[in-house]
Amino acid sequence: VPVLLLHGAWTGPWLWRRTASYLSHRGWNCWAVSWRTAATTWPEARARVERAAAELGRPVVIGHDLGALLALELAGVSA
């Protein structure tokens, strides 16, 4: 199962480097997506994350800060 890692508002995918390394050494296939640089509005950010999740199939999604809100929306949870 792939893992999709979503960074926060003031960070980037580099935030997940150590976590992705840790999880990868335990058999998880990790992907850290840069949504902030590719989007200027919330709907664009959400669309970017939705596309990434669709490409990975049904990933486990982990978010930090604003990335956690994107993860909740991706799961269909109202925050």
Side-chain angles (χ1 to χ4, degrees):
V1 175
V3 177
L4 179 60
L5 303 165
L6 304 175
H7 62 82
W10 305 111
T11 61
W14 51 265
L15 171 78
W16 294 108
R17 188 170 292 139
R18 292 179 76 183
T19 303
S21 177
Y22 177 85
L23 293 173
S24 293
H25 280 90
R26 281 146 186 82
W28 293 91
N29 197 6
C30 298
W31 301 86
V33 175
S34 177
W35 57 264
R36 195 183 61 169
T37 58
T40 57
T41 66
W42 186 254
E44 288 175 355
R46 183 175 173 166
R48 168 87 168 135
V49 169
E50 287 173 344
R51 281 192 307 272
E55 288 179 21
L56 294 173
R58 295 181 50 92
V60 172
V61 182
I62 302 171
H64 170 261
D65 187 43
L66 203 53
L69 185 56
L70 282 168
L72 287 171
E73 285 196 10
L74 187 63
V77 177
S78 298

